[in-house]
Amino acid sequence: MTRPAETPDGPPGHASAAADGRRTGDGRRTGDGRRTGDGRGTGDRSAPWVRTRLRSAPSSAVLAAALAFVAVLLAAALPRAVDRGADQALRSFLHDRGPAATSLLATSEARYGKQSVEELDSVRAALVARTGVGFAVAPSGPVHGSQAVKSRALGNPELPRPEGVSPKLDLLHLREAAAHTELVAGRWPGGGVPDGPVPVALSQQAAQTLGVRIGTVLEAVASGSAPPMSAEVVGLYRATDEADVYWAGLPCLTHACEKTTPAVPPQRYWQTAALVGPDGLDRLGQWGEGSEDFWRIPVDTGRLRADRLPDVAAEIAAYVSGPTTTDLRRATLRGDLRITSRLPELFKQARARQEAAAPLAAIGPAGVAGVAAVVFCLAAALTADRRESELRLLLARGGSPGGIVGRLLGEGAVTVLPAASLATGLATWLLPTPRWTATLLAAGAVTLLALLAFPVRAAVLLSARRLGPAPRRRLVAELLVVAATAAAVFEVRSRGVAPAGEGLDPLLVAAPLLLALCGGLVLARLQPVLVGALARAAGRRPGLVGFLGLARAARGTGGRARPSVLPLIALLLAVTTGGFGATVLEAVDAGRLQVARLTVGGDVQITAPYGGAVPRSMAGAAAALPGVRTSVGVWTDDQAFVFGTDQGSTQVTVIVAEPVAYAELARTIGRGQFDPALLSGAGSADSADAPLPALFSSALAKVAASGTYRLSLGGGGELRIGSVGVVDGTPARAGTGGAVVVLPAGPTTARVPRTGEPDRWFATGEVDGARLREAVRANAPAGTAGRYSVRTSATVAAELGSDPLQRAAGRLFWASVAGAAGFALLAVLLTLVRAAPERAALLARLRTMGLRPRDGFRLILTEALPQALAATLGGALVAAAAVALLGPAMDLSALVGSTVPAGLRLTALPVLTQALGLAVLVTAAVLAEAGISGRRQITTELRAGDQR
């Protein structure tokens, strides 16, 4: 049975039609003189080109559409995911700061004698009327009223005084308070006697704490110019929801608060606030030595968008201290109206965090974009190889290159455009966001690449003979890439990463990709030489499989002199961007942990209440927990003085600890390191004349040289100390500044009052925070468990990394790594498919000569794996080079959440993880392709015969 004549991959009868003289490429005249507009005669109308092509190669059309769909979907989804992540991070960042910090607070001195609730409401309406353009009022609504400037101490002897300090009471008038409370007993205040007690309503919880009931008269102690006054409790209320944002920033209205005095030692006392009625507005000034009206306007942070943050910040600034403020003062007739807010500061912080996370968020997607572009070029090259004979036949039969390329564009549009449209629509549906520009630009760019890749390749193929020598063109292109890479790396190293406020640094994003491209070009030059040498070495050994596989790996397919550089670039891009980004993420995590350990003074810290001590049973139970490696108890004194310095006397912080354990703690966390031999054994000296050896901090050493000094402790007692060394700080205090003296624990220090028991306990190791807190509660003296503070480095590190924008950037990076690995894997598969026909023909010939199937399998592996494994190894080296070259210019402080030394250190684990992971995927793909496709292709060749 014979088949009708056809072009390669073309429709039946096409070749015979062309032989009759029809021009099929550009619509010129046919052999019988009739003009055709589409390559078909009017008398003998052949099938349309696009329909014929799709029917002749449906699998290729489906694969092209699938590739375009995936690429466009990722391209359209990326900016939308970034926008949504930035918006959510901004809103979460502001929400975590609390409603008081994200509100506009307007204050004005109360107008004595003219005060009325109607005027308070009118000012509120004027303030709200100027919002709503770039920012709006939160659904919770404004909170306004009037407040006494100062609180008054209460002299009632029956009131509780924990440490001898009288409780204090604030007075406020709060509008709409009844809507957020429930009256428990009595009545709401109102109708008081001008010279009598001020009627007030107190929260039920505060009344229980202070032992107050309905009818109690609270006597205010005279203070400054404020005469003695009294307030009568006429009602008790309960807040319907104490967590309601309505109560944010208001002074202890829902319960009594425990406060401490600023004196040393601090003393605890109770403070609460009470509500007065409208007729008590004029008496607030008498109570608090003045009163002020306030209006808190909460901003709806749920509507803020990261891309509009500069415009909103400008509007907030105008509202706080700008033309809007001037207009409001004129409209409300209050010249002293003051508006404050933390929002401008928070906006700056949010903007700085966004800019700090932008490079990390861009490195991964840039790598995906590079690998995807390589995949499209490989797909175009594969299609061009498959259809080269068809295209040249059309050109030989009179078709023009322009007409052929136009038909290829139309053919691609039928498959690419619907897939791209569907992908864009799916991305917008899955990731809703009001911004469209970046989405459409990214989707359009990828669609254009998918549409033009094969036509451009075909145009180059059809006009290849008119171009200059390929080796020269390739050398010039490689030199240009090397020059651009060197310039980018030099610029980044010389000036550093773009400063905050300048946006995304394109050089920092492009430099790793350029380094990967250079690595691919270098590896493409070296691989044929190295693999060729291995092939010659294998040729001198018995067996044919190794030599043939390595020889084919050393040269290209289809008669090329060397392998294609595109698969190498794809793999190198994937490994380099993955390894570089993973190194940044690991450095950020390590930096957060180090900052947390320096903040805590180790991995865990137990702090006793002021003037107390950590019981030995508590320290022993904590030290016995699993994971504890080093533990030490430390006694501290912040009120000590060293006499005899250049300043006469210098206030210092004294640290008393067992030298060996304390030195191990300092060495582990990297602050205050010293040789324990300097202090070990000295603390047991019994001579009263011998000075106690001490370590001075750097700040103290500047004003106190080596010698003997007198140390006066805050709790009484003195010691003679002599400096035996200098340390850069202490684990017991955050930061390296300040004057610190480190003393050894022993009989000498034990004789000094209040230095016997440690007031802090530090440990290193992976300790369970919950079990540690349980041990503290179980061993604390009765009634004091809540006064012991427990801190862990894991908790502090989690707080540092709680910025949602940084988490979103990390998630986006890992998603980009997965996408880049997938495209790189596809590049390897396309390379295998591109070489499959020639390899199948070779294996078929060898099978006729007695080649065993397993030897054919080994041949495929020997041919494919050297390039893939060399690419992953080269990618690891390039990633390491990128870290070494670009790392010193990177400052991770904003990503860490605290100031850390600039620079990025090279660590092998993240780079090797990326390289080995991709190598395993590539090896699995090669094994699968060899096992699934190899046998079928060989069988097909044996049945069809050799046509090459």
Side-chain angles (χ1 to χ4, degrees):
M1 182 176 180
T2 61
R3 293 181 297 174
E6 59 178 281
T7 62
D9 295 318
H14 188 79
S16 61
D20 291 337
R22 295 190 185 92
R23 294 191 181 275
T24 61
D26 58 354
R28 288 178 286 177
R29 291 187 179 277
T30 62
D32 57 3
R34 289 172 293 177
R35 181 175 297 275
T36 64
D38 57 357
R40 300 189 300 271
T42 59
D44 182 16
R45 299 183 63 85
S46 58
W49 171 280
V50 174
R51 186 179 68 188
T52 304
R53 287 300 314 159
L54 295 179
R55 286 181 175 179
S56 63
S59 59
S60 299
V62 171
L63 290 176
L67 180 59
F69 176 83
V70 173
V72 174
L73 179 63
L74 292 177
L78 175 63
R80 303 184 74 81
V82 172
D83 288 342
R84 286 168 57 86
D87 290 346
Q88 293 173 0
L90 172 64
R91 295 163 186 170
S92 178
F93 173 76
L94 296 176
H95 180 270
D96 292 342
R97 297 310 178 269
T102 56
S103 298
L104 301 167
L105 179 62
T107 58
S108 175
E109 291 185 7
R111 298 183 172 186
Y112 300 115
K114 302 179 181 179
Q115 195 77 321
S116 66
V117 294
E118 289 77 12
E119 186 179 2
L120 293 176
D121 295 342
S122 65
V123 175
R124 169 191 178 276
L127 292 171
V128 173
R130 297 305 300 264
T131 64
V133 180
F135 63 96
V137 180
S140 60
V143 180
H144 66 293
S146 188
Q147 177 181 1
V149 173
K150 296 181 180 179
S151 59
R152 297 282 292 272
L154 300 178
N156 301 57
E158 70 275 10
L159 298 180
R161 292 170 172 79
E163 295 184 356
V165 179
S166 298
K168 294 184 178 182
L169 178 68
D170 282 303
L171 291 187
L172 296 89
H173 173 71
L174 199 58
R175 299 290 291 158
E176 301 177 356
H180 300 270
T181 58
E182 177 186 356
L183 190 62
V184 178
R187 60 180 176 84
W188 289 110
V193 180
D195 295 332
V198 181
V200 299
L202 196 64
S203 70
Q204 185 182 35
Q205 293 184 4
Q208 293 174 352
T209 302
L210 299 179
V212 174
R213 58 183 180 273
I214 298 294
T216 301
V217 177
L218 302 174
E219 301 292 341
V221 179
S223 173
S225 60
M229 290 184 65
S230 61
E232 182 182 0
V233 179
V234 298
L236 299 179
Y237 64 86
R238 179 176 61 245
T240 53
D241 182 10
E242 291 190 20
D244 190 350
V245 296
Y246 179 84
W247 304 107
L250 297 177
C252 304
L253 276 170
T254 60
H255 58 278
C257 305
E258 183 178 313
K259 300 293 186 71
T260 57
T261 62
V264 179
Q267 294 175 308
R268 296 181 297 126
Y269 66 93
W270 292 108
Q271 181 165 348
T272 188
L275 297 175
V276 302
D279 53 357
L281 285 172
D282 291 335
R283 305 190 66 180
L284 293 177
Q286 301 175 17
W287 182 275
E289 300 183 36
S291 63
E292 66 176 9
D293 303 330
F294 66 91
W295 300 265
R296 179 165 61 84
I297 313 296
V299 175
D300 188 1
T301 58
R303 295 177 53 182
L304 296 180
R305 288 167 43 180
D307 62 320
R308 295 183 178 178
L309 193 58
D311 297 335
V312 176
E315 292 187 25
I316 293 290
Y319 199 103
V320 171
S321 58
T324 305
T325 307
T326 304
D327 295 342
L328 287 172
R329 288 172 179 170
R330 188 182 303 114
T332 59
L333 301 178
R334 289 178 178 253
D336 64 337
L337 185 69
R338 301 176 299 277
I339 303 177
T340 59
S341 178
R342 286 192 57 200
L343 281 173
E345 175 190 353
L346 295 178
F347 286 164
K348 290 181 180 179
Q349 295 177 8
R351 189 70 178 176
R353 291 172 180 270
Q354 184 178 355
E355 291 170 353
L360 178 61
I363 289 175
V368 176
V371 180
V374 171
V375 169
F376 277 114
C377 293
L378 272 174
L382 175 62
T383 307
D385 287 351
R386 183 171 55 85
R387 299 179 60 179
E388 180 178 2
S389 57
E390 172 196 351
L391 298 178
R392 293 196 180 279
L393 179 60
L394 292 175
L395 186 65
R397 290 177 174 175
S400 67
I404 295 174
V405 170
R407 288 182 176 274
L408 295 178
L409 279 174
E411 177 186 331
V414 174
T415 57
V416 171
L417 294 183
S421 301
L422 180 61
T424 305
L426 183 61
T428 56
W429 178 67
L430 293 176
L431 300 171
T433 180
R435 293 177 286 279
W436 289 83
T437 303
T439 298
L440 296 179
L441 288 177
V446 175
T447 302
L448 196 62
L449 177 61
L451 189 62
L452 296 179
F454 174 53
V456 170
R457 175 65 179 172
V460 173
L461 184 65
L462 295 177
S463 59
R465 296 180 180 178
R466 304 176 189 174
L467 300 176
R472 184 176 301 174
R473 296 198 311 272
R474 177 177 177 178
L475 179 61
V476 172
E478 291 175 348
L479 291 177
L480 289 176
V481 171
V482 172
T485 304
V489 173
F490 175 78
E491 183 67 15
V492 172
R493 286 291 299 267
S494 60
R495 65 161 173 79
V497 181
E502 295 188 4
L504 181 64
D505 188 352
L507 282 180
L508 180 64
V509 178
L513 305 183
L514 290 174
L515 286 171
L517 183 58
C518 282
L521 298 177
V522 172
L523 190 59
R525 292 282 186 179
L526 294 178
Q527 182 192 345
V529 178
L530 297 178
V531 179
L534 292 176
R536 290 189 294 272
R540 292 190 291 267
R541 300 176 61 86
L544 185 63
V545 174
F547 170 74
L548 282 178
L550 292 174
R552 287 177 56 81
R555 63 178 178 84
T557 59
R560 295 178 181 83
R562 57 178 62 88
S564 174
V565 70
L566 293 179
L568 289 173
I569 294 177
L571 291 171
L572 281 168
L573 282 173
V575 177
T576 301
T577 55
F580 184 80
T583 302
V584 172
L585 288 178
E586 185 178 81
V588 169
D589 292 338
R592 285 177 183 153
L593 181 58
Q594 180 62 19
V595 169
R597 299 181 83 180
L598 292 175
T599 302
V600 174
D603 289 315
V604 295
Q605 176 189 148
I606 301 175
T607 304
Y610 185 86
V614 177
R616 293 185 179 181
S617 60
M618 182 184 297
L625 292 176
V628 174
R629 292 194 299 268
T630 301
S631 63
V632 59
V634 174
W635 180 84
T636 62
D637 184 0
D638 295 323
Q639 305 298 321
F641 286 86
V642 172
F643 293 93
T645 64
D646 296 345
Q647 302 172 347
S649 63
T650 302
Q651 186 174 357
V652 298
T653 296
V654 177
I655 306 296
V656 179
E658 197 280 319
V660 176
Y662 178 79
E664 179 64 20
L665 174 69
R667 184 194 64 79
T668 303
I669 70 169
R671 175 186 289 162
Q673 303 176 60
F674 67 97
D675 183 2
L678 296 174
L679 298 180
S680 295
S684 60
D686 293 329
S687 174
D689 297 330
L692 190 65
L695 299 173
F696 286 4
S697 65
S698 303
L700 180 60
K702 293 179 181 179
V703 297
S706 300
T708 302
Y709 299 90
R710 182 166 59 91
L711 176 65
S712 176
L713 300 175
E718 291 186 355
L719 291 171
R720 294 182 64 242
I721 59 174
S723 175
V724 295
V726 178
V727 293
D728 61 355
T730 172
R733 289 290 184 270
T736 57
V740 177
V741 174
V742 181
L743 301 177
T748 302
T749 54
R751 287 196 294 264
V752 180
R754 298 183 61 183
T755 61
E757 295 292 337
D759 57 2
R760 284 174 174 80
W761 182 84
F762 300 90
T764 61
E766 299 180 0
V767 184
D768 186 352
R771 298 185 63 178
L772 176 63
R773 292 180 178 87
E774 180 61 30
V776 169
R777 286 192 296 267
N779 293 273
T784 63
R787 301 177 60 185
Y788 284 85
S789 172
V790 177
R791 300 184 71 188
T792 64
S793 61
T795 303
V796 176
E799 293 174 354
L800 291 174
S802 62
D803 184 8
L805 186 63
Q806 299 173 12
R807 296 199 302 267
R811 290 194 300 267
L812 180 62
F813 168 75
W814 288 117
S816 301
V817 167
F823 278 115
L825 193 62
L826 183 58
V828 173
L829 293 176
L830 288 175
T831 305
L832 295 174
V833 172
R834 188 179 184 185
E838 182 180 350
R839 183 176 64 239
L842 173 64
L843 292 175
R845 297 190 192 103
L846 294 177
R847 285 286 297 275
T848 61
M849 300 178 188
L851 183 73
R852 294 176 296 178
R854 63 180 182 181
D855 291 332
F857 185 76
R858 291 171 50 203
L859 178 62
I860 296 174
L861 295 181
T862 308
E863 175 187 349
L865 285 180
Q867 184 185 39
L869 297 180
T872 53
L873 177 61
L877 295 177
V878 173
V883 174
L885 293 174
L886 304 176
M890 299 193 67
D891 186 2
L892 304 178
S893 297
L895 290 177
V896 171
S898 180
T899 302
V900 294
L904 181 64
R905 293 187 302 173
L906 175 62
T907 52
L909 183 60
V911 175
L912 291 178
T913 300
Q914 299 295 315
L916 294 178
L918 191 57
V920 170
L921 288 177
V922 170
T923 303
V926 171
L927 292 173
E929 198 277 339
I932 297 174
S933 302
R935 187 184 300 270
R936 184 174 65 250
Q937 292 170 352
I938 295 172
T939 304
T940 302
E941 290 289 336
L942 290 174
R943 289 178 179 176
D946 188 5
Q947 299 177 357
R948 294 169 174 80

